[in-house]
Amino acid sequence: MEWERAKNIILIAFVILNLGLAGLIFVEHNRYTLTPDRISTIHAVLSENNINLYATPMRRFAPMRHLDISGFYYDVPALLEIFFDETENLIQEETDERHYIFKTDNSSLEISNGFIFFDNSDGLGENIINGTITREDAIKISDEFISEHFPDFVREMVFDAYGGDGVQIIYRQQYRGQIILSNEIEFLITARGIEWIELQFGRVIGYSAETRMIFAPDEILLTFMQKMRHEAMENPIFITSIDMVYLLEYASDREGQVYTAVPFYRIFILDNDFEFLINAYTNVAIF
């Protein structure tokens, strides 16, 4: 009889404990979630300042960890294998420390200060097109290159270039669902194929152990409003997208260095391809 009573007491204690934990989880979840009232308020405040929010703001703003990323230094032999069919007869020019230039008759690869620039006057790849390049054809060419050599990069932006005779396409690295803005590959593609590629990226080491509070999306939008209110007075502004990305603000090309990439809110507006960035930790804009 005493054992049955003890079991009932233990069971009741477990039920109460689970209810308490569920309550704490609920409170913690709501602490970092935008309420409908806050969303309605930010819409109204922006509208009063001639800024229209046509995007659904992120509702969750739980603490986030920063990313550790290496500096912009590279495996040069691996890059040569990517950009040149044959590497035995490459001409290497005399350069300064950590500055490399490799050439053939029609192409060159330059690595300097953490930037990689490949230029090919004949167009790179087998997909050479006669006539006018289309966005669809250009995307197919660059997607094939990325899929083969940099599969963790995703296409982010596509622009017309050279008065419509070319297409510029930008890819960024994606790590566990998060875009790393500072790890970037950009193409110029014309009817001859890939004419140049510019790259800059560090090796992702991983997330830090500690989390840090971030500002809520409505607070970020207020900062955007303060920065853009004068422009909005002349012409209405339409926010079309707001998301979260990681950005490495400071880096070098010295091997062995590790730097911190922090979360940034990214805002796009209608008829403008510029990315408006606001630090999620500090609520400071860098545009």
Side-chain angles (χ1 to χ4, degrees):
M1 182 65 69
E2 291 296 327
W3 172 237
E4 289 295 326
R5 182 179 178 184
K7 285 198 297 184
N8 290 335
I9 292 174
I10 293 172
L11 180 60
I12 292 171
F14 272 119
V15 171
I16 294 173
L17 177 61
N18 286 332
L19 289 173
L21 289 174
L24 290 174
I25 292 171
F26 178 78
V27 170
E28 187 70 8
H29 183 273
N30 285 347
R31 179 184 178 189
Y32 300 116
T33 302
L34 279 185
T35 64
D37 286 343
R38 287 179 65 172
I39 294 175
S40 177
T41 298
I42 191 61
H43 271 279
V45 172
L46 292 174
S47 181
E48 290 172 1
N49 287 272
N50 214 21
I51 299 175
N52 302 278
L53 182 58
Y54 284 178
T56 302
M58 302 162 56
R59 294 198 62 192
R60 290 284 296 155
F61 52 98
M64 297 182 67
R65 297 179 291 173
H66 70 251
L67 271 173
D68 290 327
I69 299 180
S70 75
F72 299 137
Y73 51 87
Y74 309 103
D75 183 342
V76 174
L79 291 175
L80 296 180
E81 292 289 337
I82 290 174
F83 291 104
F84 298 102
D85 293 332
E86 297 181 1
T87 60
E88 292 81 6
N89 299 320
L90 286 176
I91 300 171
Q92 181 173 357
E93 292 189 355
E94 293 292 333
T95 56
D96 299 330
E97 184 184 5
R98 300 190 309 281
H99 183 189
Y100 308 90
I101 299 177
F102 301 91
K103 286 187 173 183
T104 66
D105 291 339
N106 300 310
S107 60
S108 65
L109 177 69
E110 182 172 5
I111 306 169
S112 178
N113 297 319
F115 289 93
I116 305 167
F117 187 78
F118 176 78
D119 179 77
N120 188 12
S121 59
D122 287 340
L124 178 68
E126 299 179 0
N127 296 294
I128 307 303
I129 299 169
N130 296 318
T132 303
I133 188 73
T134 66
R135 284 195 173 198
E136 291 75 15
D137 288 330
I139 288 171
K140 180 181 178 181
I141 293 171
S142 60
D143 277 358
E144 287 178 354
F145 182 93
I146 289 292
S147 177
E148 181 178 358
H149 301 295
F150 300 95
D152 53 347
F153 280 67
V154 296
R155 183 174 3 103
E156 280 251 290
M157 296 181 179
V158 181
F159 309 96
D160 290 328
Y162 290 5
D165 292 333
V167 180
Q168 284 182 249
I169 307 175
I170 296 176
Y171 294 77
R172 267 80 178 251
Q173 188 175 11
Q174 189 175 57
Y175 179 77
R176 297 188 180 181
Q178 294 282 357
I179 294 295
I180 303 173
L181 211 61
S182 41
N183 282 5
E184 180 177 283
I185 302 175
E186 183 173 357
F187 294 79
L188 172 65
I189 302 177
T190 68
R192 294 185 299 178
I194 298 172
E195 292 218 7
W196 57 253
I197 309 175
E198 186 172 274
L199 310 87
Q200 182 181 17
F201 56 87
R203 180 175 58 86
V204 180
I205 298 169
Y207 286 107
S208 67
E210 297 182 0
T211 60
R212 182 175 170 184
M213 299 276 288
I214 65 172
F215 279 81
D218 55 346
E219 297 170 311
I220 295 294
L221 288 167
L222 286 176
T223 296
F224 176 84
M225 181 197 74
Q226 292 167 357
K227 289 285 186 179
M228 300 296 292
R229 61 171 52 185
H230 294 297
E231 288 81 354
M233 289 174 62
E234 299 179 3
N235 295 293
I237 291 175
F238 300 90
I239 297 175
T240 58
S241 176
I242 176 170
D243 62 3
M244 186 77 73
V245 297
Y246 275 84
L247 178 65
L248 191 67
E249 292 189 87
Y250 308 101
S252 80
D253 60 344
R254 291 189 176 275
E255 190 170 351
Q257 298 295 315
V258 176
Y259 299 89
T260 297
V262 301
F264 273 77
Y265 285 93
R266 179 173 60 169
I267 298 172
F268 286 101
I269 63 177
L270 186 65
D271 297 327
N272 190 329
D273 294 318
F274 185 77
E275 298 167 291
F276 297 87
L277 300 173
I278 302 177
N279 191 311
Y281 287 153
T282 63
N283 200 10
V284 173
I286 62 171
F287 60 88

